[in-house]
Amino acid sequence: MHSTFGILFSSIFVSNIILSRFLGMCSFLGVSKNFKNSVGMSAAVSFVMLLASMLSYACYHLLLVPYHLEYLKTLVFILAIATLVQLVEMFMKKAMPSLHKAMGIYLPLITTNCAILGIALINVESNYNFIDSCVNSIGTSIGYTMAILLFSCIRERLDEKALPKCLQNLPIALITASCMSISMMGMSGIH
Amino acid sequence: MLHELTKGIIKENPLFVQLLGVCPSLATSTSMTNAIGMGCAFTFVLFFTNMIIAAIRKLIPDQIHIPCYIVVIASVVTVLEMLMNAFVPALYAALGVFVPLIVVNCIVLGRAEAFACDHGIIDSALDAIGMGIGYSFALCCIAFFRELVGAGKLFDHAVLPASYQPVLIFILPAGAFLTMGFVFAAVNYFKERGAHNA
Amino acid sequence: MSNLFVKYTGILAVICGVSVGLVAAANEGTKDTIAKKHEADTRAAYKVVLPELGDLKKLPAPGGLITDVQQSSKNGKPNGYIYTVTPSGYGGKVTLMVGISKDGDKITGIKVMNHSETPGLGAKSTEPAWQAQFKGKPLKDALVVTKQEAGKPNEIKAITAATITSRAVVTGVNAAREDYMKNHANGKD
């Protein structure tokens, strides 16, 4: 899987960020209760993830590597992401108020979404170049969107079913996620 | 005082009751060894961040408290990363990206926000230890079933007879969701029964 | 307003400065231990795949699957080679070391360093019991994977239910074999 296409395919399906890497679970379980919120959240995550991985790539290769400060990467990345989210929110409020209305409430939550920092770190760890980093983050956000949208549809239906009380809400959601994860496993081994 | 220590273990258990820190609990519960390692790493971070934040809470203006907390947490996590890489490299490799990701673990920032920002150093330290034990306990509950059923082992030692065919799915990602779903269902069941009896 | 701005920036800068200072100090303190441990680990892994380890010299890697070649010499004469190869397995790249002895042109051992294969199936490739099959294999012919018990000298028995992983490991070993036969066998150096 060294090709760029391989990275794209594997980040969407085989190592789907939620169902096999377990990143971004909090937002996944939190907002997937209804379809509308899921659309807003996944749009915000996709947007920030691409910007954040470009920014963290720049920080790492232009700032940290030349001065041998690689060990500061966690610190620098999280600060860069926090600043980025702040800036995006301010910019959006001014320039695109309608989009801000739709995505705005999800933006502050994204700073602590481990999917964003996770992808920035995984890009560095896998030694991806700039293009591969972008492709990886695009693939990952497609995977995230796909998982969260499918999941929210299932959850909306589950809400109408008569379940044992102890299984309601979160436990059944996790068991559903397990079934989805099994279907993703079927994709591995495809080159 | 003792209450600060014990509340995190059962009554306000970060994972089972507050539903925080779900991501690492799914990823690092493949074996008891990993679960305990993650629990210790997590407790270490929480202990130091809670104490540092409690110590400097009066110096930080309200408007910029979040960035300040993030800087403190990220530094403690980076120090932990180096210590783990130097002294327990095998565990460091097994936990992988989830060690740096403690930075964005909701529990750490959550405790800073909810507790350390208006309590003393000692109370915050006790709170951190309690939460840490509670989280480790929750991780171990999940890891116990996953490792036992999925590999027939505990702490990497075979405990079930060799004729036992391990149910592999339990140590794969899908098994993490499944186990966690059932553990949560059990927790809900007992909570409900407790509420009924009371 | 601007006064407050300066104050906040100041506080944030101080906190950042102190944190970075502490992290840098911790880095200085642990850097050597990490480097030493890493070196010791690599040396130990080399020793597993090539028991008669001598002085090491890094050779330029030929590319392809081979990412690293180390030449081991005793008394100034090369006695073996260690190849690091990265074939593609079921879940991604598999990184393994292959030790080859000049004495009799045979494999002295392999070790899987890093992989993302399925736990319990492909991950069995890290078990010494399976890796032991490679020990002493002659390099005359390329190795092949078989699902039955290995009969011929160049056959390797696949891991049950993980044929792709087994094939990946064998592909890596064969890449090392090819380079060795081309550049180092028959007293070429």
Side-chain angles (χ1 to χ4, degrees):
Chain A
M1 290 249 175
H2 5 200
S3 64
T4 308
F5 180 73
I7 293 174
L8 184 68
F9 187 82
S10 112
S11 58
I12 299 177
F13 296 109
V14 182
S15 33
N16 184 288
I17 182 133
I18 290 174
L19 298 170
S20 77
R21 274 190 176 145
F22 309 115
L23 299 174
M25 281 308 294
C26 296
S27 63
F28 181 65
L29 293 173
V31 298
S32 64
K33 268 188 186 153
N34 80 54
F35 188 74
K36 223 178 118 225
N37 289 350
S38 309
V39 175
M41 186 68 184
S42 48
V45 166
S46 310
F47 182 64
V48 174
M49 192 180 283
L50 181 61
L51 284 182
S53 55
M54 289 197 222
L55 183 66
S56 57
Y57 182 87
C59 284
Y60 189 74
H61 290 273
L62 301 177
L63 213 68
L64 297 182
V65 174
Y67 296 104
H68 302 290
L69 292 172
E70 287 92 341
Y71 60 88
L72 286 178
K73 65 174 188 290
T74 315
L75 194 65
V76 170
F77 286 3
I78 185 75
L79 283 179
I81 291 169
T83 320
L84 177 77
V85 171
Q86 246 344 292
L87 283 177
V88 166
E89 203 190 349
M90 271 150 53
F91 175 75
M92 228 178 227
K93 217 172 186 171
K94 274 259 159 67
M96 303 174 261
S98 58
L99 195 61
H100 180 258
K101 224 174 173 181
M103 252 156 79
I105 50 166
Y106 304 105
L107 278 172
L109 296 174
I110 283 181
T111 314
T112 51
N113 187 324
C114 45
I116 311 279
L117 182 64
I119 285 303
L121 290 170
I122 286 171
N123 279 340
V124 166
E125 234 161 66
S126 325
N127 282 324
Y128 285 156
N129 61 25
F130 186 69
I131 303 285
D132 287 351
S133 302
C134 291
V135 168
N136 189 27
S137 65
I138 292 171
T140 305
S141 38
I142 297 175
Y144 182 90
T145 311
M146 181 186 72
I148 202 165
L149 292 187
L150 286 175
F151 196 64
S152 65
C153 294
I154 300 178
R155 272 187 93 173
E156 278 189 351
R157 294 195 165 202
L158 277 175
D159 275 351
E160 295 160 10
K161 300 282 177 286
L163 286 165
K165 208 158 177 216
C166 61
L167 277 176
Q168 271 168 18
N169 244 325
L170 202 61
I172 194 70
L174 285 163
I175 293 166
T176 314
S178 154
C179 298
M180 289 174 72
S181 174
I182 293 177
S183 62
M184 290 298 155
M185 267 166 54
M187 306 273 188
S188 62
I190 300 173
H191 290 260
Chain B
M1 189 95 118
L2 203 64
H3 167 75
E4 309 295 2
L5 183 68
T6 52
K7 69 173 193 294
I9 300 175
I10 302 283
K11 222 177 96 214
E12 292 180 26
N13 188 298
L15 186 61
F16 289 155
V17 180
Q18 304 182 46
L19 304 179
L20 295 174
V22 180
C23 323
S25 59
L26 288 165
T28 60
S29 58
T30 46
S31 75
M32 287 295 274
T33 321
N34 286 355
I36 290 187
M38 185 65 199
C40 291
F42 174 79
T43 312
F44 174 95
V45 172
L46 197 54
F47 182 73
F48 282 101
T49 51
N50 250 12
M51 288 220 305
I52 295 171
I53 286 167
I56 60 170
R57 67 184 190 276
K58 294 202 175 104
L59 303 174
I60 300 177
D62 212 32
Q63 285 86 338
I64 56 161
H65 69 283
I66 299 260
C68 294
Y69 292 173
I70 290 181
V71 172
V72 171
I73 295 169
S75 321
V76 173
V77 169
T78 311
V79 171
L80 170 79
E81 259 187 274
M82 291 166 182
L83 292 176
M84 283 180 76
N85 198 354
F87 300 107
V88 278
L91 184 66
Y92 180 69
L95 298 181
V97 78
F98 286 92
V99 181
L101 283 182
I102 298 177
V103 177
V104 283
N105 191 311
C106 332
I107 306 171
V108 182
L109 197 60
R111 286 330 284 170
E113 269 300 72
F115 195 89
C117 65
D118 55 7
H119 286 79
I121 299 180
I122 301 190
D123 277 357
S124 301
L126 288 175
D127 175 71
I129 295 175
M131 287 292 160
I133 295 174
Y135 191 62
S136 312
F137 167 72
L139 276 182
C140 289
C141 281
I142 298 170
F144 177 81
F145 289 113
R146 285 186 72 192
E147 197 181 7
L148 189 70
V149 181
K153 293 175 179 173
L154 283 180
F155 293 103
D156 280 330
H157 290 290
V159 286
L160 293 177
S163 58
Y164 172 75
Q165 180 72 38
V167 188
L168 266 185
I169 192 96
F170 276 88
I171 44 177
L172 297 176
F177 290 110
L178 197 64
T179 317
M180 190 125 154
F182 281 112
V183 170
F184 274 181
V187 169
N188 279 355
Y189 178 74
F190 285 117
K191 242 196 278 179
E192 211 177 289
R193 248 190 26 180
H196 220 70
N197 289 343
Chain C
M1 166 68 205
S2 79
N3 225 341
L4 219 58
F5 180 76
V6 172
K7 190 180 154 207
Y8 287 171
T9 318
I11 293 176
L12 206 52
V14 169
I15 291 181
C16 281
V18 173
S19 315
V20 169
L22 284 178
V23 172
N27 181 54
E28 280 306 311
T30 52
K31 201 167 60 180
D32 294 339
T33 326
I34 294 173
K36 239 182 241 159
K37 218 159 209 154
H38 188 73
E39 204 177 306
D41 282 353
T42 317
R43 182 95 196 163
Y46 285 159
K47 189 95 190 151
V48 169
V49 297
L50 189 68
E52 291 180 9
L53 195 64
D55 303 320
L56 286 173
K57 192 177 115 195
K58 196 178 158 69
L59 299 183
L65 294 181
I66 303 171
T67 52
D68 184 65
V69 187
Q70 300 280 343
Q71 181 184 53
S72 148
S73 314
K74 267 198 173 153
N75 307 324
K77 264 179 68 185
N79 68 336
Y81 294 85
I82 297 157
Y83 287 86
T84 306
V85 288
T86 51
S88 292
Y90 187 69
K93 293 244 161 119
V94 181
T95 308
L96 67 140
M97 283 184 184
V98 185
I100 294 176
S101 165
K102 266 196 90 88
D103 178 24
D105 293 341
K106 59 182 198 300
I107 297 171
T108 48
I110 69 158
K111 189 174 165 65
V112 175
M113 310 297 294
N114 210 333
H115 70 91
S116 37
E117 304 302 286
T118 322
L121 297 175
K124 280 194 181 146
S125 60
T126 55
E127 287 177 5
W130 187 73
Q131 295 178 358
Q133 281 189 71
F134 290 86
K135 211 172 244 175
K137 286 279 176 203
L139 291 173
K140 210 165 84 293
D141 299 305
L143 298 180
V144 290
V145 178
T146 168
K147 290 188 190 175
Q148 276 87 40
E149 285 304 317
K152 300 195 190 95
N154 67 333
E155 280 183 344
I156 294 290
K157 187 180 184 313
I159 304 164
T160 315
T163 320
I164 296 179
T165 310
S166 316
R167 269 198 209 121
V169 172
V170 167
T171 307
V173 174
N174 280 336
R177 167 192 168 271
E178 208 165 288
D179 182 76
Y180 173 82
M181 294 305 268
K182 204 170 87 195
N183 298 322
H184 308 297
N186 307 320
K188 272 184 195 139
D189 52 10

